[in-house]
Amino acid sequence: MNIFNHNVIQLNKKVTLNFINIENYTNDFVKLIEEEIGFIRNGSVNDEDLKDVKKRIKIWIDRKKKDERATNGFVAEFICHLYLRSRKFEQYSLFKNLEERGPKKGFDGLYMLNDEMWLVESKSTTVLTNTHFSEINKAYSDIKTKIESSEKDLKINDPWENAKHHIQVANPNKTLTENIKKLSSDFINNKKHKIKEFNIIPCSTIYLKASWKKINNEELKKKLEKEIVKKEAKKLNVLCVNKKSVDDFIKFIKS
């Protein structure tokens, strides 16, 4: 069953493209959200009723009513987490800040697959002149900045410390925690790393609304493959999502 109406294209051993199309939420799609939303938000310690998880998200969205960009970004990132979990990626981050009620800071996601760590960054847009390639570039650039910065750059707070705290709550893993602890120590001691050392998942979501259409797989593949394969990374798993709107997600949260 292809709930995400998706297509996976393996360009080479390094690069995988995922093209995802979400017009409206089917009953199966809503069922998947119901099964996964608690873990995505709260991790393995989730003990909240579904109605309470939905209510907490509704409270945050209601507070952001005037900030359409924040809501769009929230929903886009959630769909990416939902998709990755359906592809058997193991989640080691929470879809929230530990100190706040909204989405978290630092990396958008930390996952494991086949004993390899993957870092996620999600970007979204409602500007139809923007492209999946432009949004993937933004996501890639953000991950690169976080990976290749250190304390002396004064660009960002330590993203690895944030990741370490999320692992401990989301899905405790001693080996992964030790690896992240080492990266956090490197950050504050100005021992720099390169993006080519890491597996990354840059994500792009375009909200099409009345201009809805599915991704043209061959056309997007041709646009991406020449440039994506040039990007430095240990491995790249690229997510491109055509989504009609946030309406069905809001409807779900309010139901």
Side-chain angles (χ1 to χ4, degrees):
M1 186 181 298
N2 192 348
I3 293 178
F4 289 88
N5 198 357
H6 69 284
N7 189 46
V8 180
I9 301 170
Q10 190 80 42
L11 290 184
N12 53 38
K13 290 182 179 180
K14 173 184 170 183
V15 181
T16 304
L17 305 178
N18 301 263
F19 299 157
I20 302 160
N21 303 278
I22 303 172
E23 182 178 9
N24 301 114
Y25 291 9
T26 64
N27 290 337
D28 287 331
F29 196 79
V30 171
K31 183 180 178 182
L32 181 65
I33 294 176
E34 289 176 341
E35 292 171 352
E36 296 288 340
I37 195 169
F39 192 105
I40 289 172
R41 186 179 187 277
N42 298 323
S44 60
V45 297
N46 178 57
D47 58 357
E48 286 191 301
D49 291 336
L50 176 61
K51 64 180 179 62
D52 289 339
V53 175
K54 290 164 69 174
K55 187 170 184 178
R56 290 186 191 281
I57 293 174
K58 180 181 179 297
I59 290 169
W60 185 85
I61 288 175
D62 286 345
R63 288 176 175 167
K64 296 290 182 178
K65 274 184 178 178
K66 295 181 179 179
D67 190 350
E68 182 182 0
R69 184 179 175 185
T71 301
N72 289 343
F74 181 98
V75 175
E77 186 184 331
F78 174 81
I79 295 299
C80 292
H81 291 304
L82 190 68
Y83 176 77
L84 289 170
R85 286 178 56 78
S86 79
R87 301 291 296 174
K88 309 305 180 186
F89 281 80
E90 296 177 70
Q91 180 185 341
Y92 287 92
S93 53
L94 302 177
F95 187 48
K96 64 178 180 179
N97 276 332
L98 292 173
E99 302 82 11
E100 302 173 10
R101 299 180 181 182
K104 64 183 181 57
K105 300 174 183 176
F107 297 109
D108 284 342
L110 175 66
Y111 284 83
M112 294 287 289
L113 181 68
N114 299 326
D115 295 321
E116 290 188 298
M117 183 176 76
W118 291 80
L119 301 171
V120 179
E121 186 70 32
S122 171
K123 297 296 179 184
S124 65
T125 184
T126 58
V127 180
L128 299 185
T129 53
N130 288 3
T131 66
H132 281 299
F133 182 60
S134 68
E135 297 307 300
I136 291 298
N137 273 341
K138 292 175 188 175
Y140 178 88
S141 178
D142 273 13
I143 296 177
K144 190 173 190 292
T145 296
K146 290 170 185 175
I147 288 173
E148 298 191 350
S149 294
S150 67
E151 181 67 28
K152 69 179 181 182
D153 295 317
L154 301 177
K155 292 179 183 177
I156 57 171
N157 293 325
D158 179 4
W160 303 109
E161 183 179 38
N162 184 284
K164 181 180 67 176
H165 292 158
H166 275 259
I167 294 167
Q168 292 165 353
V169 177
N171 197 1
N173 181 306
K174 185 176 180 180
T175 301
L176 182 58
T177 298
E178 287 301 315
N179 290 340
I180 297 295
K181 181 180 176 182
K182 173 63 167 58
L183 289 166
S184 180
S185 175
D186 289 347
F187 182 93
I188 62 169
N189 288 296
N190 299 306
K191 181 180 179 181
K192 294 196 173 187
H193 289 268
K194 293 292 185 182
I195 195 169
K196 65 183 180 181
E197 302 170 44
F198 297 88
N199 302 311
I200 65 171
I201 307 176
C203 307
S204 163
T205 300
I206 298 179
Y207 290 100
L208 295 164
K209 297 186 178 179
S211 300
W212 164 258
K213 61 180 178 180
K214 290 176 64 176
I215 291 172
N216 183 318
N217 294 327
E218 284 305 312
E219 183 179 290
L220 184 55
K221 175 177 175 284
K222 287 179 182 178
K223 288 180 179 178
L224 291 178
E225 62 184 342
K226 290 183 180 179
E227 298 300 325
I228 292 295
V229 295
K230 297 177 186 176
K231 291 191 177 297
E232 290 187 324
K234 187 178 178 183
K235 291 180 186 175
L236 276 156
N237 213 315
V238 177
L239 271 59
C240 297
V241 184
N242 271 17
K243 198 172 190 312
K244 189 172 183 179
S245 70
V246 300
D247 293 350
D248 277 5
F249 185 83
I250 302 299
K251 181 181 177 181
F252 166 78
I253 290 300
K254 291 183 176 181
S255 66

